[in-house]
Amino acid sequence: LRPVGLVPGRRPGARAAAEARGVLIEIDGAVDIQANGHAPALRQGLDNLLSNALRYAPHGSSIKVEIQRVGGLIRLAVRDSGPGVAAELRGSLFAPFWRERRRAADASDGSAAHDSYGLGLHITQEIAARHGGRVFLDESCAQGARFVIEIPSR
């Protein structure tokens, strides 16, 4: 395990995807936080959350990435301003191959089909668990969806 930078703003792919959709990625918190772990896996977990947020964030909106150290944990949260997750679907989100049947936000008119294999959140859950942490949907989020990864800071 080695130190891994977690800030998505330093990842050109995330910025380019957001710009192509007319979405701004805002970073809030300690941008210099690093986690000890497997770099490709941790970045994949973050990329999965960003990809989901981009899929549902309306054109012209923003995605907020919060990075903080809380006690012995590193907490990374990704929040979009899309339609959120219906209460009746929350228990299935992390199951492999599960996909919500609604339509994702489109950069121009909100009509893009949801194209995914239903593995991103499950993979992110496995990555967090292998690092001694967890990923969850913050159910207190009033608008949009806010997913949180917590891993020990070691």
Side-chain angles (χ1 to χ4, degrees):
L1 300 178
R2 62 187 176 114
V4 179
L6 297 174
V7 179
R10 296 183 183 161
R11 313 246 358 245
R15 285 273 185 223
E19 287 175 10
R21 293 197 36 84
V23 174
L24 175 67
I25 296 177
E26 299 177 1
I27 310 295
D28 183 27
V31 297
D32 60 343
I33 285 183
Q34 293 192 344
N36 286 320
H38 185 254
L42 289 172
R43 288 188 181 124
Q44 180 64 52
L46 175 58
D47 286 348
N48 289 345
L49 295 186
L50 281 170
S51 176
N52 284 351
L54 280 167
R55 184 174 289 121
Y56 292 106
H59 178 77
S61 68
S62 64
I63 294 170
K64 186 171 186 176
V65 178
E66 304 162 19
I67 304 168
Q68 38 183 200
R69 188 177 306 273
V70 180
L73 295 174
I74 294 174
R75 181 178 295 153
L76 186 127
V78 177
R79 180 180 182 167
D80 66 56
S81 55
V85 180
E88 65 271 12
L89 303 177
R90 293 177 182 172
S92 303
L93 289 175
F94 296 96
F97 302 108
W98 184 87
R99 294 185 303 167
E100 189 174 2
R101 299 291 179 206
R102 66 187 164 123
R103 296 173 83 64
D106 178 66
S108 60
D109 65 5
S111 65
H114 181 92
D115 59 345
S116 93
Y117 294 104
L119 289 171
L121 289 174
H122 178 72
I123 290 170
T124 301
Q125 182 180 47
E126 291 294 316
I127 291 167
R130 288 185 180 157
H131 285 82
R134 67 185 184 134
V135 61
F136 59 94
L137 172 67
D138 178 356
E139 295 185 12
S140 69
C141 185
Q143 180 185 1
R146 182 176 184 261
F147 285 88
V148 181
I149 297 174
E150 290 181 336
I151 58 173
S153 59
R154 294 194 183 120

